[in-house]
Amino acid sequence: MSGKRTLLIVNPGGGDAADAGRRACRTLETGGDRVDYHLPDDPAEISGLIRSLGPDSDRIVLGGGDGTFSHSAEALLDAGRPFGILPLGTANDLARTFAIPHEPERAARVVLRGGLRRIDLGMVNGRPFFNVASMGFSVKVANYHTGERKKRLKLLSYPLSWLDAQRDMTPFEARITWNGDTKKTKSTMIAVGNGVHYGGGLTIADDAAIDDGWLDVYYVKPLGPWGMLKLLPYLKFGALKRRQDVRTLRAAAVRVETTPTQEINVDGDVIAETPADFSVLPKALEVFVPATK
């Protein structure tokens, strides 16, 4: 794998992003890569860099969190090059799916020595995503898990944000359509997963995979604060099928309509709303993953 032209772009948002980028760049160059390294002033420049420089590269390595990867998904599709992950975010759920190490040098060595895995992308209202898109309670959590709290506490911010979100969650009416079937329900949270993990290590389903061509969906019936708290262990291990107050389904395409309109948290950022059409782009991207022994 030596001698490859590698485009390395690091989101400048993290406090140690510049140092992590330099360490990854040094590891790739030591391994024989010709690295075109960019630390843009503005994260909004990342997709443009991928589109302009990616097609002339052999592979693209991105440094950032789940939001960085999700916002870059369309540009990565356009570039059509294998994609390497340098985990620099808070949750790092996409990296968790592939067991990518957090240390920049070790993550870079996955690109140098690892294998390639072709994965699906989810689509919500025409926008690609990697992990999970969700609405309701999870959006409340995301709204609290931000700013100084997120920066200072990192993953420890999630439990506090979870508790805060419980105080102002209101159930909503939902109409879910899949495979010709329709279900009307009242819910506090709906999640649609293309990948496996979200929310800092929660699991959409214990048998979910990011390359199986399916969306894993669950919706939670109205629960009080104590009920939502008891749900956490099931969310952690993807065991929601065992709960009587949660319904799960698997489909290649799903439509969700709600009253009132619900914002949608897509891979950690609230950037869509209902009504929402979800689908799968099968085997859309190649990702560098650790070599199997």
Side-chain angles (χ1 to χ4, degrees), residues 3-164:
K4 297 290 186 179
R5 294 172 299 173
T6 298
L7 174 62
L8 171 61
I9 307 172
V10 173
N11 188 329
D16 57 354
D19 178 64
R22 285 192 295 268
R23 290 160 63 188
C25 183
R26 187 163 53 245
T27 300
L28 290 167
E29 289 177 336
T30 299
D33 278 18
R34 291 170 287 152
V35 182
D36 182 12
Y37 173 42
H38 295 264
L39 184 74
D41 294 330
D42 187 344
E45 299 173 20
I46 293 174
S47 289
L49 287 169
I50 293 171
R51 286 192 170 94
S52 62
L53 303 175
D56 294 325
S57 304
D58 292 306
R59 53 200 184 193
I60 300 167
V61 179
L62 284 186
D66 293 305
T68 300
F69 306 137
S70 189
H71 281 287
S72 305
E74 191 169 357
L76 289 168
L77 275 173
D78 291 344
R81 295 292 182 265
F83 162 49
I85 297 170
L86 183 62
L88 301 177
T90 303
N92 295 315
D93 285 309
L94 186 61
R96 191 188 312 269
T97 295
F98 305 117
I100 305 291
H102 288 189
E103 297 85 353
E105 293 87 354
R106 293 179 63 202
R109 281 194 284 272
V110 169
V111 176
L112 291 170
R113 304 171 187 169
L116 283 170
R117 181 175 172 184
R118 189 165 282 278
I119 67 166
D120 306 333
L121 284 176
M123 299 290 291
V124 52
N125 290 345
R127 182 197 184 281
F129 66 97
F130 284 97
N131 299 323
V132 176
S134 59
M135 62 202 77
F137 182 77
S138 57
V139 171
K140 298 286 187 182
V141 173
N143 288 340
Y144 282 108
H145 177 67
T146 188
E148 187 60 32
R149 172 189 283 184
K150 177 179 178 180
K151 182 178 179 181
R152 187 176 70 254
L153 298 179
K154 299 185 183 300
L155 275 180
L156 291 177
S157 167
Y158 277 108
L160 293 176
S161 300
W162 184 278
L163 292 171
D164 286 336

Side-chain angles (χ1 to χ4, degrees), residues 227-247:
M228 289 301 296
L229 194 61
K230 289 195 295 184
L231 202 64
L232 261 178
Y234 296 86
L235 288 167
K236 175 67 176 176
F237 297 107
L240 291 172
K241 293 176 184 177
R242 303 177 193 172
R243 297 278 305 208
Q244 294 299 311
D245 41 22
V246 180
R247 296 292 181 268

